[in-house]
Amino acid sequence: MLAYNFNWDVIWRQWPTIIEALLLGIGLAVASLAIGCIIGILCAFGRVSRHKWLDWAIWSYVEFIRNTPLLLLIFFVYFGLPQMGIRAFDKIESFILTLSLYAGAYMCEVFRAGLASIPNQYVEAAKAIGLRPWQRQLYVVLPVMFRITLPSISNTLISLFKDTSLAAAIAVPELTFTARQINANTFRVMEAWLTASALYLATSYAIAWVLRLVERRYSVIR
Amino acid sequence: MQNHMKPNATSAATGAMPLLRAVDVHKSYDRLEVLKGISMDVEQGEVLALIGASGSGKTTFLRCINLLEEFQQGEIDLDGEPIGYRMTGGRRRKIPEAALSAQRARIGMVFQSFNLFPHMTAEQNVMLGLTKVRGKPAAEARDIARHWLERVGLAERRGHYPFQLSGGQQQRVAIARAVAMEPRLVLFDEVTSALDPELVAEVLGVMQDLARSGMTMIVVSHEMLFVREVASRVVFMDGGHVVAQGPPQELFRDPESERLRSFLGRFHGVFS
């Protein structure tokens, strides 16, 4: 016997706030992925550049990020940096910074593997028509790497989107935080968490579906 | 193909510079020496065939010409200008990458494995060098690309990506990409070796057409019928040395070198 009476009214009343919270989460994930990709590309090139110190510095960054809980990083940036005198960021900016650094470490490894898997023959063809080194990277290496790594980029975006729930810990009004608010104010525990879960699930599927279309459009390497 | 038969002594007779001159080129991978002093001249309009067993160094030498391989000793000059290296203060140094890129832009190359850019259509493959290296406006580059794709019989395929093309079609796009740059010479590195037998002829046909138009070509090939038909001069390499050279008719009819004789013996029927 289910001893819980559902009452969805609170959810409908809060619907605009919930959707706003969901969009904020998507925005946080997309912004972090974009910045993370830039960090990742720079780090991947840094690691293959054969500069020993640069390689070591980037390796340390990647290992540090990948072996530290994300929640701890979020607390460190949000609470720690102001203690050190850096008060430049509000909580949303602070979270984007953290998630970007986090995404950057993962994307660095993704792109490094992508760069390593580009057959040398394309680079040789680019050399042979007289493209300069940076042109070879820009017009041949990066576009090919982007297409090779697209499935990994998609996976990263979905996992980043789910990780935005950790922003609730520093009171960023995204979906998890909003669900907790509703829960706290109304005691509609099941409604609040079921709604949030369903929205995470649906959004993750939607992102995956859109990105699969993008992959199909760009997967010209077979 | 008699119209392409040019005597080797052209430059000596006229005093003109050969288009390409290699002098005593040595190359080693670590301690393994693969080129042991290659010297040769290539005249404007010549079709030079490099033949020899695998491991003889012919592909390596070809790749040295546009510095896809470095070489440790000797000199290769294009129009009298040394490729890849400069002597400064008595030391041999590699020239900066930008200068090297400019030199490579004057030499076309077609690869065994086609090496088309996989994310670009046939037309975009041909256009890339024209716009980014030659600095041509997109519209002009597109016209040139279409002209050459038509010339290699692929006018209808210009919007296709490499994965949508057969090996022979890909290789013809690669040839169009190389020659559209109007290079001083084009290097062909076993360009039919990766093709199914029924696709070889269409590629050789395009190359024969280019040879007739006066394009200077250096061709590494195992297609002995093609070499005999199209080459103005054949260079036989073995063990990192040039062992024999001459016009194909002479060289194939009466090979003086024992090694060349045994090499040619493998191509039953072609030379009997």
Side-chain angles (χ1 to χ4, degrees), chain A residues 1-73:
Chain A
M1 204 51 195
L2 204 61
Y4 187 91
N5 296 311
F6 282 92
N7 178 358
W8 295 94
D9 283 353
V10 280
I11 300 301
W12 303 135
R13 251 180 280 135
Q14 295 294 318
W15 193 247
T17 316
I18 292 170
I19 293 304
E20 215 171 287
L22 175 66
L23 293 177
L24 176 64
I26 296 171
L28 291 172
V30 170
S32 302
L33 180 74
I35 301 170
C37 279
I38 294 167
I39 297 173
I41 286 171
L42 294 176
C43 287
F45 276 121
R47 287 210 69 177
V48 297
S49 71
R50 277 176 278 170
H51 287 103
K52 219 171 161 188
W53 285 105
L54 191 60
D55 185 34
W56 183 84
I58 294 165
W59 178 85
S60 308
Y61 154 67
V62 170
E63 290 305 307
F64 175 73
I65 297 280
R66 293 208 306 180
N67 294 296
T68 312
L70 178 55
L71 186 58
L72 197 136
L73 293 171

Side-chain angles (χ1 to χ4, degrees), chain B residues 80-134:
Chain B
E81 182 191 322
I83 294 283
Y85 299 93
R86 282 275 185 291
M87 295 300 288
T88 42
R91 286 190 58 189
R92 182 175 183 268
R93 289 170 196 277
K94 224 177 147 179
I95 62 171
E97 273 288 328
L100 191 55
S101 299
Q103 290 184 335
R104 286 191 181 120
R106 288 154 55 199
I107 304 170
M109 180 146 188
V110 185
F111 299 87
Q112 181 175 351
S113 49
F114 331 135
N115 301 15
L116 293 182
F117 305 126
H119 58 300
M120 295 183 180
T121 62
E123 186 172 279
Q124 289 167 337
N125 262 277
V126 183
M127 283 174 67
L128 185 67
L130 294 168
T131 53
K132 306 305 177 193
V133 178
R134 294 279 183 253

Side-chain angles (χ1 to χ4, degrees), chain A residues 137-206:
Chain A
Q137 302 301 332
L138 190 61
Y139 301 122
V140 179
V141 173
L142 282 177
V144 174
M145 184 201 68
F146 169 71
R147 284 160 173 82
I148 291 174
T149 56
L150 204 50
S152 301
I153 297 175
S154 304
N155 289 339
T156 304
L157 179 60
I158 289 167
S159 97
L160 288 178
F161 170 65
K162 289 185 295 179
D163 289 339
T164 58
S165 68
L166 291 170
I170 56 171
V172 172
E174 49 64 66
L175 191 53
T176 302
F177 182 82
T178 304
R180 197 173 61 179
Q181 292 284 89
I182 293 171
N183 181 18
N185 295 340
T186 65
F187 299 107
R188 302 315 311 178
V189 185
M190 294 300 285
E191 289 85 341
W193 295 124
L194 280 173
T195 305
S197 304
L199 285 175
Y200 277 116
L201 183 73
T203 308
S204 294
Y205 262 95

Side-chain angles (χ1 to χ4, degrees), chain B residues 191-267:
Chain B
V191 297
T192 56
S193 303
L195 294 175
D196 292 336
E198 72 270 22
L199 302 177
V200 169
E202 62 188 63
V203 171
L204 293 182
V206 167
M207 290 168 67
Q208 190 155 8
D209 172 51
L210 285 176
R212 272 200 204 103
S213 74
M215 178 73 75
T216 311
M217 299 161 55
I218 304 181
V219 181
V220 169
S221 183
H222 291 294
E223 300 287 338
M224 287 305 152
L225 278 171
F226 173 80
V227 167
R228 193 172 63 176
E229 279 286 300
V230 179
S232 46
R233 186 152 55 97
V234 176
V235 171
F236 172 65
M237 287 178 66
D238 189 63
H241 295 281
V242 171
V243 175
Q245 57 178 311
Q249 283 81 351
E250 286 176 27
L251 203 67
F252 290 167
R253 191 184 322 117
D254 188 20
E256 279 174 30
S257 151
E258 178 53 42
R259 280 180 287 182
L260 175 57
R261 225 185 338 264
S262 98
F263 175 73
L264 293 177
R266 297 182 209 166
F267 298 87

Side-chain angles (χ1 to χ4, degrees), chain B:
Chain B
M1 294 283 95
Q2 292 297 319
N3 52 336
H4 284 291
M5 297 290 293
K6 292 190 179 177
N8 282 340
T10 315
S11 61
T14 60
M17 209 170 1
L19 182 83
L20 187 88
R21 165 167 284 170
V23 182
D24 196 32
V25 173
H26 289 257
K27 162 148 188 93
S28 318
Y29 294 104
D30 295 322
R31 255 175 276 166
L32 178 70
E33 194 173 33
V34 288
L35 298 178
K36 299 169 182 167
I38 305 293
S39 300
M40 67 180 73
D41 284 1
V42 182
E43 304 297 336
Q44 172 95 46
E46 230 187 337
V47 177
L48 184 98
L50 287 179
I51 63 169
S54 47
S56 61
K58 52 197 193 317
T59 286
T60 305
F61 176 67
L62 197 73
R63 289 165 59 83
C64 284
I65 294 174
N66 65 356
L67 227 77
L68 290 180
E69 301 284 350
E70 299 183 2
F71 53 97
Q72 288 81 24
Q73 194 189 318
E75 190 172 313
I76 300 176
D77 295 344
L78 180 68
D79 292 318
E81 182 191 322
I83 294 283
Y85 299 93
R86 282 275 185 291
M87 295 300 288
T88 42
R91 286 190 58 189
R92 182 175 183 268
R93 289 170 196 277
K94 224 177 147 179
I95 62 171
E97 273 288 328
L100 191 55
S101 299
Q103 290 184 335
R104 286 191 181 120
R106 288 154 55 199
I107 304 170
M109 180 146 188
V110 185
F111 299 87
Q112 181 175 351
S113 49
F114 331 135
N115 301 15
L116 293 182
F117 305 126
H119 58 300
M120 295 183 180
T121 62
E123 186 172 279
Q124 289 167 337
N125 262 277
V126 183
M127 283 174 67
L128 185 67
L130 294 168
T131 53
K132 306 305 177 193
V133 178
R134 294 279 183 253
K136 291 185 188 298
E140 191 190 340
R142 187 169 297 113
D143 286 345
I144 297 171
R146 287 182 182 180
H147 165 78
W148 280 107
L149 287 173
E150 195 181 328
R151 177 90 177 260
V152 301
L154 291 171
E156 275 86 61
R157 302 287 165 126
R158 63 172 191 243
H160 286 53
Y161 286 93
F163 75 86
Q164 298 167 314
L165 299 171
S166 73
Q169 291 169 335
Q170 289 189 52
Q171 196 58 294
R172 285 186 281 154
V173 174
I175 293 172
R177 178 174 69 178
V179 295
M181 296 286 286
E182 299 185 344
R184 295 288 286 136
L185 84 163
V186 184
L187 313 174
F188 293 82
D189 183 15
E190 302 196 27
V191 297
T192 56
S193 303
L195 294 175
D196 292 336
E198 72 270 22
L199 302 177
V200 169
E202 62 188 63
V203 171
L204 293 182
V206 167
M207 290 168 67
Q208 190 155 8
D209 172 51
L210 285 176
R212 272 200 204 103
S213 74
M215 178 73 75
T216 311
M217 299 161 55
I218 304 181
V219 181
V220 169
S221 183
H222 291 294
E223 300 287 338
M224 287 305 152
L225 278 171
F226 173 80
V227 167
R228 193 172 63 176
E229 279 286 300
V230 179
S232 46
R233 186 152 55 97
V234 176
V235 171
F236 172 65
M237 287 178 66
D238 189 63
H241 295 281
V242 171
V243 175
Q245 57 178 311
Q249 283 81 351
E250 286 176 27
L251 203 67
F252 290 167
R253 191 184 322 117
D254 188 20
E256 279 174 30
S257 151
E258 178 53 42
R259 280 180 287 182
L260 175 57
R261 225 185 338 264
S262 98
F263 175 73
L264 293 177
R266 297 182 209 166
F267 298 87
H268 296 292
V270 177
F271 301 102
S272 55

